[in-house]
């Protein structure tokens, strides 16, 4: 399939539906907060936004390796829109989910949503390549994607730091979510787990919206979002939430970082972004984060790869639109 995609061919619609429905079978059984334990000898790579940049995704997968019983992948939302190979990206990720449901995980991003897909290209691309009904299938399956993943190390940390916030069992665990934290302090992991997400769009308020849309800020407290949706949350908000929930750190995506990643909020909030040279003009590196069974994190950066001469947002009427992520 990957070779087929690289040569510019489209899959027959029947195979597209089989892959999407195969992945759907697993997403629909997962809770809104998925628990992933990283056992001894296992690693998991956290991948940020890839935004339809298929040729960069191929390079990224060559660095991470495919999902396996010793190496899991977690894609943290915004697989589609902007880049003009969103179908190829999402079908590759969904095929891995169908094949390896316990080794491949995908969180929903704010772009796995109808209003964004109609504006930023995925709807047009899906209809162009596979027809209206196929787009509607994707739109529903996007609502079954989990909203966050709790990655738990199964061994105590190699180096114990007095500042570390650990789980009740004395282990590191990381809350992986596309956007970030909330407009109120007392939200628990259990509250997130119980969100009724299937069939629903993120909207402009509430827990689902905030999980997918919020951003960190340098100032303490909370502030207005630069996006007009969600909020911005400060380092004190992050520390209180991590302490309340026994979480060692938040890993989120949703924003370009020139180095591909940035560690913020006194080490408690890390942004990872995996679309290098975003929309062919940002000049940024991509990155991914590898976590092992002790909770140790390793950061890897990569550069953009050449792609065929199709511009970003090729399937959007009226050109590039605005650049809000």
């Amino acid at each position: 399939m990957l070779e087929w995609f690289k040569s510019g061919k489209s899959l027959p619609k029947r195979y597209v539906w089989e892959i999407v429905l195969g992945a759907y079978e697993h997403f629909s059984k997962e809770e809104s907060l998925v628990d992933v334990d990283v056992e001894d000898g296992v690693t998991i790579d956290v991948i940020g936004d890839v935004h339809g940049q298929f040729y960069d995704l191929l390079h990224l997968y060559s660095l991470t390796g495919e999902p396996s019983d010793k190496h899991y992948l977690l894609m943290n939302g915004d697989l589609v829109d902007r880049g003009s190979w969103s179908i190829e990206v999402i079908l590759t990720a969904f095929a891995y989910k169908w094949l390896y449901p316990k080794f491949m995980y995908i969180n929903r991003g704010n772009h796995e949503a109808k209003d964004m897909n109609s504006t930023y290209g995925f709807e047009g691309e899906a209809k162009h390549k596979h027809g209206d009904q196929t787009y509607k299938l994707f739109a529903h399956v996007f609502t079954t994607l989990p909203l966050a993943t709790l990655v738990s190390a199964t061994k105590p940390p190699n180096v114990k730091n007095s500042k570390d916030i650990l789980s009740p069992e004395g282990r590191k665990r990381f809350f992986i979510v596309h956007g970030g934290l909330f407009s109120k302090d007392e939200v628990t992991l259990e509250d997130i787990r119980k969100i009724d997400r299937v069939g629903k769009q993120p909207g402009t308020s509430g827990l689902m919206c905030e999980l997918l849309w919020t951003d960190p800020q340098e100032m303490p407290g909370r502030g207005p979002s630069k996006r007009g949706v969600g909020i911005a949350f400060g380092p004190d908000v992050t520390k209180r939430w991590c302490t309340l929930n026994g979480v060692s750190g938040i890993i989120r995506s949703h924003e370009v970082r020139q180095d591909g990643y940035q560690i913020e909020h006194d080490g408690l909030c890390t942004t990872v972004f995996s679309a290098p040279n975003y929309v062919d003009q940002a000049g940024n590196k991509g990155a991914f984060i590898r976590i092992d069974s002790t909770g140790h994190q390793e950061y890897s950066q990569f550069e953009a790869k050449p792609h065929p001469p199709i511009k970003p947002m090729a399937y959007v009427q009226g050109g590039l639109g605005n650049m809000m992520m």
Side-chain angles (χ1 to χ4, degrees), residues 4-26:
W4 190 265
F5 285 161
K6 277 193 274 187
S7 64
K9 299 175 184 174
S10 289
L11 279 187
K13 191 184 298 185
R14 174 191 160 190
Y15 297 152
V16 171
W17 280 59
E18 276 200 79
I19 290 168
V20 177
L21 291 171
Y24 164 78
E25 187 181 337
H26 298 294

Side-chain angles (χ1 to χ4, degrees), residues 165 181 185 221-222 234-246 268:
I165 301 170
L181 295 182
D185 272 351
R222 293 177 172 89
D236 55 330
V237 174
T238 300
K239 186 169 186 180
R240 286 196 301 272
W241 189 85
C242 287
T243 303
L244 172 68
N245 287 285
L268 288 177

